[in-house]
Amino acid sequence: MASRTVVDSVVRVEAPPAGAAAAEARASALRARFPGAIVERYLDRAPEVGQRVRIAAGAAVIGDVLLADDVSVWYGCVLRGDVNRVEIRERSNVQDGTVIHLGDRDPTFVAEEVVIGHRAVVHGCRIGGGTLVGIQATILDGAVIGEGSIVGAGALVTAGTVVPPHSLVLGAPGKVIRTLTAADEAMHRGLAHKYVRLAHNYRVG
């Protein structure tokens, strides 16, 4: 399979671009809102953050990253939106130590009520709503994970793989083992809501 990496996708700049000052102001406001978090602009792009979001101290959110309402990003995570965009939709959570980046041609999109377990790597892929990504799982560029799925702990979903909705994926390389039920998806979404409540308690408790 041909590489999805584009070696000349980054153009060197000699000075801050137009819009850099506004982006820095947005990043500065977010640093005040989330003390201890690392929030940075990249060129003229700064994170956008919705309501009731938690970004834990020590987490890094950089560049073109959207965190929708009720998202939580936990300790030691890195979400880096530089050569493309990262979007995390409502009530999803990114657990401790996870790295979310992107590909030259592949933004990262995480739909609503997704649970991303500790130390996962999510890179330039699309993850459907109500999915559970297990601890230390890796999902690579151009992969698409259908809604209501499980990517098991330690699984590797290779570049360009398309996983049907409601699939259990295990192994390295990851293989679909069986089809999940609506009850499985409901449990994943329930776990996402548990993290919404947990983040609320950290914010206001």
Side-chain angles (χ1 to χ4, degrees):
M1 184 174 115
S3 172
R4 302 178 79 94
T5 300
V6 181
V7 296
D8 58 356
S9 65
V10 175
V11 177
R12 178 174 172 164
V13 301
E14 301 302 332
E24 182 56 40
R26 293 195 303 274
S28 180
L30 289 172
R31 288 191 288 270
R33 182 177 166 188
F34 301 105
I38 300 165
V39 181
E40 295 181 2
R41 69 173 176 89
Y42 173 70
L43 301 178
D44 59 353
R45 286 162 268 173
E48 303 172 61
V49 178
Q51 300 298 310
R52 301 173 302 280
V53 168
R54 170 171 169 75
I55 304 175
V61 182
I62 299 157
D64 192 1
V65 176
L66 170 65
L67 305 179
D69 295 346
D70 296 302
V71 164
S72 57
V73 177
W74 295 85
Y75 302 96
C77 293
V78 177
L79 284 69
R80 179 158 60 93
D82 40 28
V83 299
N84 215 315
R85 177 173 171 83
V86 173
E87 186 170 340
I88 314 292
R89 298 309 307 178
E90 290 79 4
R91 300 174 298 283
S92 290
N93 61 83
V94 183
Q95 295 177 17
D96 316 67
T98 290
V99 173
I100 298 182
H101 193 226
L102 29 75
D104 296 296
R105 298 189 177 99
D106 299 296
T108 295
F109 177 82
V110 176
E112 82 292 341
E113 295 175 355
V114 170
V115 176
I116 300 179
H118 312 289
R119 296 180 64 192
V121 176
V122 175
H123 200 278
C125 58
R126 295 183 65 86
I127 301 176
T131 289
L132 171 63
V133 178
I135 292 170
Q136 288 191 289
T138 299
I139 307 173
L140 295 179
D141 299 42
V144 178
I145 309 298
E147 65 182 15
S149 293
I150 296 175
V151 178
L156 169 62
V157 180
T158 54
T161 299
V162 177
V163 173
H166 303 105
S167 294
L168 172 62
V169 178
L170 300 176
K175 303 291 185 187
V176 176
I177 303 302
R178 63 179 174 89
T179 300
L180 301 172
T181 67
D184 293 317
E185 180 178 342
M187 179 183 173
H188 309 159
R189 291 182 183 273
L191 183 56
H193 281 266
K194 172 185 174 181
Y195 264 82
V196 170
R197 296 191 299 273
L198 186 63
H200 168 86
N201 290 351
Y202 270 85
R203 286 196 320 274
V204 306

